[in-house]
Amino acid sequence: MQFDGDHWRNNLLLRQYLRTSVDARERYATAKLAAVSAGASNLVAYSGAKAACVEQLLAEARVELLPDVSPSARSWGGAREGRGDL
């Protein structure tokens, strides 16, 4: 992962959002458990299984935590780019 790259910033943004939102934490935990329950047995499968949840949480985080930033500047490449450790 590139320091201060899109993936780096997405990880930090998601982490901050999860720290500030109980609802987001619960939905993320549910997605993680569902990924494992569905048989995701490696990192790629696990990440793929929860990708939609991560994308939704990142979209919410951009609105909640970056409200003064224009919508086009909020896009940091999306979580799908090298998302292995989300």
Side-chain angles (χ1 to χ4, degrees):
M1 177 185 328
Q2 178 183 353
F3 174 75
D4 205 31
D6 290 346
H7 186 59
W8 177 277
R9 288 181 280 176
N10 281 335
N11 281 350
L12 294 178
L13 182 62
L14 180 61
R15 180 183 71 183
Q16 185 61 31
Y17 189 51
L18 293 174
R19 287 178 173 172
T20 62
S21 172
V22 172
D23 177 63
R25 279 195 307 272
E26 289 173 355
R27 287 184 287 142
Y28 187 59
T30 299
K32 291 171 66 161
L33 290 172
V36 172
S37 295
S41 60
N42 61 58
L43 187 56
V44 173
Y46 176 71
S47 295
K50 59 192 183 99
C53 178
V54 169
E55 290 288 342
Q56 179 62 42
L57 292 172
L58 280 170
E60 294 170 16
R62 288 182 184 106
V63 171
E64 293 291 321
L65 301 178
L66 305 174
D68 296 330
V69 178
S70 71
S72 62
R74 288 185 196 139
S75 178
W76 289 334
R80 293 183 185 272
E81 178 184 313
R83 68 177 185 272
D85 59 338
L86 286 181

